[in-house]
Amino acid sequence: MGKNPDDYNERAGSAQTRRRGAELEQAILDAAWEQLIAEGYEHFTLDTVAARARTSKPVLYRRWKTRDDLLRATVRHIGAASAPSIPDTGTLRGDLLALLANANSTTRNPVAALVSSMLGSYYNQTGPTPAELREAFLSQRGSAVEQVVNRAVERGEVDQARLTPRIIALPFDLFRNEMMMTLKPVPDHVLRQIVDDIFIPLVTTQRAQWA
């Protein structure tokens, strides 16, 4: 009698609840994230993820042909699940500081965990670039910075003529650089420097700067 691998009865020393469809896929992606953070990219394989998810390897291969396919799916899944609430403090400065403070929390920022887990072995392996993984991470939720900057434009706080994609990305580019260089949360005074000394003067009107 044939078996449906999606109904695979995982064996981990005791009976397991059968999982199907979206429930099974979410459980696999959660296990994949746990495997990546626990042992790094070097030990991130379909075999190790299947074992951690307590399912069969064919179940994974039907969904993802390579470990990099699984890696991208895992990052997209975690990115969508960890989308931050968009702050609305009434000012661009307040919104940006709130976003950076949220990202700076080691318990709320999966990117910090991702960087820490992959940095040691990632660059010795062939795989997606960090930029590609960031794009996958943001693909289901969009850019929070763009939303707070657009709101600041509507308030007349920002000179829209000064905005370019590179400038809009600057606060978090600087934040990621600090994080990657230390693998620690970024100090609050550095967050304020990014916002007050670098970004605000670049994008705000003279009237808004002196308000």
Side-chain angles (χ1 to χ4, degrees):
M1 183 174 178
K3 295 182 180 179
N4 181 350
D6 276 8
D7 297 337
Y8 183 83
N9 194 11
E10 297 101 313
R11 297 172 178 85
S14 60
Q16 302 293 325
T17 300
R18 294 182 181 223
R19 300 164 296 178
R20 300 176 177 84
E23 179 187 5
L24 174 61
E25 186 161 317
Q26 179 171 326
I28 293 170
L29 292 174
D30 286 341
W33 178 253
E34 293 170 3
Q35 176 64 28
L36 180 64
I37 298 309
E39 299 190 43
Y41 182 71
E42 184 178 2
H43 300 288
F44 182 84
T45 67
L46 273 72
D47 285 346
T48 58
V49 171
R52 189 175 286 266
R54 293 175 297 181
T55 189
S56 68
K57 191 165 66 172
V59 168
L60 274 69
Y61 274 113
R62 276 201 306 280
R63 292 166 171 80
W64 307 284
K65 299 303 181 186
T66 68
R67 70 168 177 171
D68 288 339
D69 291 338
L70 176 58
L71 176 61
R72 289 186 177 93
T74 300
V75 172
R76 283 194 296 269
H77 169 69
I78 296 300
S82 61
S85 58
I86 304 301
D88 189 4
T89 66
T91 68
L92 175 63
R93 179 182 187 274
D95 289 348
L96 285 174
L97 285 173
L99 282 175
L100 288 169
N102 182 73
N104 204 35
S105 168
T106 56
T107 60
R108 290 176 292 178
N109 185 6
V111 174
L114 181 63
V115 169
S116 297
S117 69
M118 297 185 72
L119 199 57
S121 60
Y122 179 86
Y123 293 105
N124 294 323
Q125 311 248 355
T126 299
T129 66
E132 290 172 332
L133 292 179
R134 177 178 179 272
E135 183 177 351
F137 185 83
L138 295 175
S139 63
Q140 303 300 311
R141 73 187 206 195
S143 168
V145 173
E146 285 187 21
Q147 294 182 56
V148 302
V149 168
N150 288 338
R151 214 162 41 214
V153 170
E154 294 173 359
R155 290 194 297 264
E157 198 178 352
V158 167
D159 182 355
Q160 191 167 16
R162 302 185 185 189
L163 296 177
T164 66
R166 178 67 69 184
I167 288 177
I168 292 173
L170 183 60
F172 273 87
D173 285 347
L174 295 172
F175 171 79
R176 279 189 295 273
N177 179 71
E178 292 284 340
M179 184 181 66
M180 290 182 68
M181 291 300 99
T182 64
L183 297 181
K184 295 178 181 178
V186 180
D188 288 344
H189 76 274
V190 176
L191 301 183
R192 289 192 294 270
Q193 288 170 355
I194 290 172
V195 173
D196 293 340
D197 298 344
I198 300 172
F199 188 68
I200 295 282
L202 277 177
V203 301
T204 53
T205 62
Q206 186 174 12
R207 177 180 61 81
Q209 289 185 50
W210 293 100

